[in-house]
Amino acid sequence: MRSTGTKQIILIPSFYSTVAASYNPKLAGTIARVDEINVLINQVANSEKVPVEYRGIQALFKEQALNEDLTIDGVHLNAKGLDIYRKVLLNILNSPSETRTPSDQKLNPTLINRMLG
């Protein structure tokens, strides 16, 4: 990304599916796999000194699962979910970049404990 002249890079955490969809590998990754991906995203963010934007995205989830009323199939967002996501993206794009630093990243303590075993 930097080699293309990108001025700002912001990462967004990987999405959880519904609990039911997470049990079907043809539909989605397991919750544990999404947790692993999010840990990797945070590691890259820390090493590359880029922020991970968590603000607002929590509205899509109930704990570590996509809210069932925001999805058409347990994986993809419906109109209501897309509206929430669009607002999150607009907030990211419209907020001053100096308010976001890698130190803003907050990893869920439960996730850290699960990943560290």
Side-chain angles (χ1 to χ4, degrees), residues 33-106:
R33 182 65 182 137
V34 174
D35 287 346
E36 290 172 7
I37 293 167
N38 283 329
V39 167
L40 293 172
I41 287 171
N42 279 284
Q43 288 172 347
V44 168
N46 285 328
S47 69
E48 296 296 320
K49 300 194 181 353
V50 297
V52 178
E53 184 59 64
Y54 290 92
R55 291 178 290 182
I57 210 92
Q58 304 87 347
L60 296 170
F61 306 105
K62 187 177 197 176
E63 297 180 19
Q64 291 176 295
L66 181 60
N67 283 323
E68 293 203 22
D69 64 332
L70 300 177
T71 179
I72 56 174
D73 59 3
V75 179
H76 300 96
L77 297 174
N78 61 18
K80 186 177 175 183
L82 287 171
D83 187 52
I84 293 168
Y85 190 61
R86 182 173 39 268
K87 288 175 183 174
V88 169
L89 293 177
L90 286 172
N91 285 336
I92 291 169
L93 294 172
N94 292 323
S95 69
S97 61
E98 51 279 353
T99 65
R100 285 188 303 272
T101 64
S103 63
D104 287 338
Q105 300 165 29
K106 292 182 177 54

